[in-house]
Amino acid sequence: MASAPFDFEFLTELTETSGVPGYEDRVRDLVVDAFEEHVDRIRTDAMGNVVGTLEGDSDYSVAVAAHMDEIGFMVRHLKGDDEGFGFVELDALGGWDARVLKAQRVTIHTDDGDLPGVIGSPPPHTLSDEQREQTPEVEDVVVDVGLPYEELEERVSPGDLVTMDQTTERVGETVTGKALDDRICLFAMLEAAGRLEDPDVTIHFCATVQEEVGLRGARALGVDVDPDLAIALDVTVANDIPGFEAGDRVTELGDGAAIKLKDGSVITNPKVHKRLQSVADEAEIDYQREILPAGGTDTAGFQLSNGAKPVGAISIPTRYLHTPTEAAHVDDVAATIDLLEAFLSSEDGGEDYTL
């Protein structure tokens, strides 16, 4: 099946917009605007989840989930003295490897507007052998905004939010940037929602919050939405790069959408993942099977939050996860959109997913 074209400009807007766990406001506004044209009703909740519902011809309901939040930071302390420059110390929101943070640009989101900053790195020839061997921790990272301490105190406060400053670019056959986890899947969900008309079942498109700190939004929506079936969308590991054996790659870029069999938080319902594979085969959509040893997704949030629910997941293979240069293949993005659309279009509520 030929890859369907998609709106790269909107994908760029979604990924470049900032929204850390618990503060997804800017992304939420984009999602609500996108839903306006394609769903029958929209609602938000006290956590900030957004649900766009497309009414079907039956009471049977399917929840589709993709999370809005990206990993980032919260300002925890301002460091310095009245005589010199000030620096910003951080608390992580989500899982960071501090090694990737050196020599990066960031944005501090303050009440008075956004403030640029850098996470610096001393010249290597000035470091001692002991310093070279140290493994950095996030708690050791500081942001330099180039301001005297007194002015820094006036402009930045503990609790302000910090995100990576990165553009989204096409690089060969891939798209790369920050926050592809999980905006690229959020994009896929919104694209599929725009293609569906008159489904047999009611579909709740759920843009969730706080996934990166414990699947919190999905757990709440599992109770509130209480679907008969849930399908989650998220990125997954693609270690198809030098230094990894074939058995450790999990997925490979360009081989299609990944149909999840398991991750560290969930084992998907066998009948659901087999039907996803059957739909892909029938529609000639490229796919691969995902067996992820560690890591969790909103799939688990829906599986147990209101009794046992049948769940499945479609993942987009992505290199360099939880860095500012995540990368996914454009054909895998298109395959994910195509598979989600085909699966939802063919779901009539008649399948028995009981094991």
Side-chain angles (χ1 to χ4, degrees):
M1 184 179 205
S3 297
F6 56 79
D7 187 351
F8 182 75
E9 184 177 346
F10 183 45
L11 174 59
T12 299
E13 186 177 19
L14 280 173
T15 52
E16 292 185 0
T17 299
S18 299
V20 299
Y23 297 87
E24 299 90 350
D25 314 53
R26 298 181 184 185
V27 183
R28 183 161 51 247
D29 289 343
L30 296 176
V31 170
V32 170
D33 287 345
F35 274 152
E36 289 284 357
E37 300 179 13
H38 304 304
V39 300
D40 296 310
R41 66 179 189 273
I42 303 168
R43 69 177 179 88
T44 60
D45 63 19
M47 291 184 71
N49 294 301
V50 185
V51 180
T53 299
L54 189 58
E55 295 288 354
D57 297 327
S58 74
D59 292 333
Y60 190 94
S61 67
V62 180
V64 180
H67 68 90
M68 295 184 287
D69 55 310
E70 66 185 286
I71 57 174
F73 307 92
M74 183 177 286
V75 174
R76 65 180 173 87
H77 184 252
L78 304 180
K79 186 175 185 178
D81 57 59
D82 294 341
E83 302 300 322
F85 282 85
F87 297 88
V88 179
E89 296 181 323
L90 305 173
D91 185 67
L93 296 172
W96 282 104
D97 180 348
R99 293 174 298 177
V100 308
L101 296 175
K102 289 188 174 183
Q104 297 287 344
R105 296 179 185 270
V106 299
T107 302
I108 302 177
H109 306 282
T110 77
D111 289 342
D112 296 323
D114 291 348
L115 185 66
V118 297
I119 298 172
S121 182
H125 54 276
T126 66
L127 300 176
S128 67
D129 290 341
E130 182 181 354
Q131 288 173 318
R132 290 172 187 270
E133 294 174 1
Q134 288 177 347
T135 300
E137 301 291 341
V138 172
E139 292 76 14
D140 302 324
V141 171
V142 295
V143 177
D144 182 352
V145 296
L147 294 175
Y149 179 68
E150 286 187 350
E151 186 173 348
L152 178 67
E153 278 192 310
E154 294 175 359
R155 300 186 62 177
V156 178
S157 302
D160 287 343
L161 308 168
V162 182
T163 56
M164 308 308 293
D165 181 5
Q166 179 66 283
T167 58
T168 300
E169 306 287 347
R170 279 291 301 266
V171 176
E173 297 177 349
T174 70
V175 56
T176 182
K178 76 169 184 69
L180 269 63
D181 180 5
D182 190 31
R183 309 278 170 70
I184 202 162
C185 291
L186 182 65
F187 169 80
M189 182 181 76
L190 294 171
E191 286 285 295
R195 297 183 188 181
L196 290 169
E197 295 182 7
D198 301 321
D200 290 328
V201 299
T202 295
I203 304 171
H204 302 290
F205 294 101
C206 305
T208 65
V209 298
Q210 299 190 42
E211 190 272 352
E212 295 290 0
V213 290
L215 321 180
R216 297 173 186 175
R219 295 183 194 280
L221 282 182
V223 176
D224 293 344
V225 173
D226 191 21
D228 296 291
L229 167 67
I231 302 293
L233 307 179
D234 211 329
V235 294
T236 192
V237 171
N239 281 335
D240 57 335
I241 56 176
F244 289 88
E245 299 294 331
D248 298 325
R249 293 175 180 175
V250 184
T251 62
E252 299 192 25
L253 264 61
D255 281 1
I259 296 174
K260 186 187 294 290
L261 275 61
K262 72 169 288 288
D263 62 31
S265 66
V266 70
I267 297 172
T268 58
N269 180 291
K271 290 184 178 180
V272 176
H273 71 65
K274 287 177 181 177
R275 197 171 95 74
L276 281 165
Q277 293 174 66
S278 176
V279 169
D281 287 333
E282 185 174 347
E284 298 182 349
I285 299 169
D286 290 335
Y287 72 92
Q288 52 194 306
R289 296 175 182 87
E290 175 199 355
I291 301 171
L292 181 64
T297 60
D298 279 345
T299 323
F302 277 90
Q303 187 179 44
L304 300 174
S305 58
N306 198 25
K309 298 290 183 183
V311 296
I314 308 171
S315 305
I316 296 179
T318 306
R319 292 176 184 158
Y320 322 124
L321 284 174
H322 284 210
T323 79
T325 54
E326 297 171 337
H329 198 291
V330 294
D331 287 347
D332 297 338
V333 179
T336 298
I337 299 168
D338 292 344
L339 179 53
L340 180 61
E341 178 193 7
F343 181 87
L344 295 174
S345 296
S346 63
E347 181 61 60
D348 60 9
E351 294 284 340
D352 180 9
Y353 295 114
T354 303
L355 301 179

